[in-house]
Amino acid sequence: MSYYYRGYRRGRYWGAYHVSKRRHLTNLFGGIDQDIERAFFALSSSELEALFMVYGRQYGKSAEAYARRTYPQWKSGAVKLSGQTAERLLELLPPRLSKEQRYELIRKLRKHYLKRTNEYVATPPETWRQRVIPAVEKVIRASRDFKLPQELYEKATWLTDGDTQAVHRILHSIEEEEARQRTAYLDAEFKRIEVFVANIKTTDSASHTISIPQGDIHVTIQKEKTTLLQSIFGSRGTTMSGNSHELVSREELQKALVLQQSRGNLLKLTLDDLSENQKIELREKILEEQIGLDVSQAKADQRFHNSTRDMASTIQAVRSLEQSSKSDYEVRSTFETASGNTDITVKKNNNTVIIVIAIVVGIILFLLLSK
């Protein structure tokens, strides 16, 4: 009985060890071990036979015999792949998969480790470029310097081959290309914010978030401080009619169009570095990525035009509210733009004006009485 209990306890701990090792492997490889497991069960009989032979040469005949014997139970789910077996498959199977399958494995692995970063910037709308562009470049630079952890290369040596590095270059160029697409309208977008704030003096707060594949840049728009006289009597900003195109000048739109015309250049330069064999083997994936970039650009264009229209409508709505009501009001608006989101809050509080007037009157009376 004691011997049985000790054996049971050893078996339980050994099983827990393998479960823990498999969990660690899944975390380490971002879940691609599960994709490889599915690919393992989808192999044809000839492919499976070839893999078992390589498995035996690499890990010994007893390991091969166990794998052959246990394969039906693995496939049915009656027995779970141990961490050790999954790690061995991570090393042996990917080189025998198609280039498209490996491409997706590397994409998933890169996404797991390439953590999106955040930058926070505060700037007046007129001088945004001096502060925002360096923040955007900083976020993109983190992607350029990206490398997988060394432990992955030790456990999966196929990650060091030329084909894998070619996929990394393609994915990196796509990330930068999409960032370029989303930021093509930045000049026009910040000009819109500037015009909005200039037209609506009751703008309480404005912010813009630039979302690119590498991370987010959170921009707080610093308003010009309102003078005492402006608080009492108000001020007249730049006038704008109901035409939404007046939010963005022709020159700003032209800049964005010029940037759009250069899209795809980064991906093209990367493809020029690939061998002819790599281009042929990855042509379907490359075509998918190019189509994806075109779709992304079309969506960005549409978001820009929609948000320009909606911002102009909001300006007109606030003006109408100002003319038709003397009561306090608050208008919160979020605009989905080409590069991310613009959030603007317009607020009027008559109590503030009354308090300011009372303070001014008090100061005047104090000065008169003190003479």
Side-chain angles (χ1 to χ4, degrees), residues 227-285:
T227 65
L228 189 61
L229 291 176
Q230 287 174 335
S231 297
I232 299 172
F233 302 109
S235 61
R236 185 174 179 81
T238 305
T239 58
M240 188 198 81
S241 70
N243 190 343
S244 64
H245 294 293
E246 292 189 16
L247 269 173
V248 183
S249 68
R250 188 183 300 274
E251 291 76 14
E252 300 296 340
L253 284 175
Q254 188 61 38
K255 286 180 186 177
L257 290 173
V258 169
L259 288 172
Q260 288 177 31
Q261 289 169 1
S262 66
R263 69 176 182 263
N265 286 351
L266 291 175
L267 181 57
K268 183 178 183 302
L269 290 173
T270 300
L271 298 181
D272 289 342
D273 292 335
L274 302 184
S275 68
E276 288 303 317
N277 188 47
Q278 288 172 333
K279 290 178 184 178
I280 292 171
E281 291 176 331
L282 291 171
R283 64 177 178 270
E284 289 188 11
K285 284 297 176 184

Side-chain angles (χ1 to χ4, degrees), residues 192 196 240-248 301-317 335-336:
R192 291 188 315 192
F196 191 107
M240 188 198 81
S241 70
N243 190 343
S244 64
H245 294 293
E246 292 189 16
L247 269 173
V248 183
D301 293 343
Q302 190 62 53
R303 290 196 303 271
F304 175 78
H305 292 298
N306 289 347
S307 56
T308 299
R309 177 200 63 213
D310 294 343
M311 288 182 79
S313 298
T314 301
I315 290 176
Q316 296 305 316
F335 308 97
E336 189 177 6

Side-chain angles (χ1 to χ4, degrees), residues 10 18 38 51 96 100 128 143 165 196 274 280 335:
R10 275 199 304 271
H18 278 294
R38 285 189 288 271
L51 179 65
R96 290 162 177 78
E100 289 80 6
W128 67 273
S143 169
Q165 298 309 310
F196 191 107
L274 302 184
I280 292 171
F335 308 97

Side-chain angles (χ1 to χ4, degrees), residues 121-137 187 190 219:
V121 178
T123 179
E126 304 85 358
T127 57
W128 67 273
R129 179 172 285 277
Q130 291 91 317
R131 299 184 186 181
V132 173
I133 295 301
V136 173
E137 287 297 328
D187 282 292
F190 277 93
V219 184

Side-chain angles (χ1 to χ4, degrees), residues 192-201 203 235-239:
R192 291 188 315 192
I193 296 173
E194 181 182 350
V195 172
F196 191 107
V197 173
N199 274 268
I200 306 299
K201 292 301 180 181
T203 300
S235 61
R236 185 174 179 81
T238 305
T239 58

